[in-house]
Amino acid sequence: MYFAARKAHSYGDYGCRAAARGTICLAPAAIRADWLDEYTVNRYRDAFTVDGEVTREQLLNDGVRVTVAKGRSGGGRERLAGPDTSRLTFTIGSRP
């Protein structure tokens, strides 16, 4: 997933950019960047009992991955409340 800034918003999105690579994604997904970042850091803190700042380097070195499954399209009040964590899979493993 790649980060894309949003005009007129203080947040951006992470989204599938298969088309930019010349490939086709059968289940393209996107999620607000601030929601995904917060989810990832919170899960990391829980897994490693870490307090304080968590850096991108720490996440990468520990092989943290979050898979985002495709969600439903459209808006709605419930969708603005926060991420649908049932779409997210958090894993820790060795770095490729």
Side-chain angles (χ1 to χ4, degrees):
M1 298 185 96
Y2 294 89
F3 177 79
R6 295 187 85 188
K7 292 181 181 178
H9 292 283
S10 61
Y11 58 88
D13 293 308
Y14 289 115
C16 178
R17 298 281 298 156
R21 294 186 316 268
T23 61
I24 296 173
C25 181
L26 299 177
I31 189 168
R32 270 182 56 167
D34 56 342
W35 290 348
L36 185 58
D37 292 343
E38 182 179 354
Y39 170 85
T40 304
V41 168
N42 287 340
R43 292 295 307 268
Y44 182 84
R45 284 185 177 137
D46 291 344
F48 288 97
T49 58
V50 172
D51 288 329
E53 182 182 6
V54 173
T55 66
R56 178 178 174 84
E57 185 176 325
Q58 283 174 290
L59 297 171
L60 292 172
N61 286 339
D62 288 325
V64 171
R65 301 285 182 264
V66 178
T67 304
V68 180
K70 185 174 182 170
R72 65 176 181 78
S73 298
R77 208 175 289 273
E78 70 282 351
R79 190 163 181 226
L80 299 176
D84 176 4
T85 56
S86 68
R87 296 175 48 209
L88 306 176
T89 305
F90 180 88
T91 58
I92 301 169
S94 61
R95 189 174 181 183

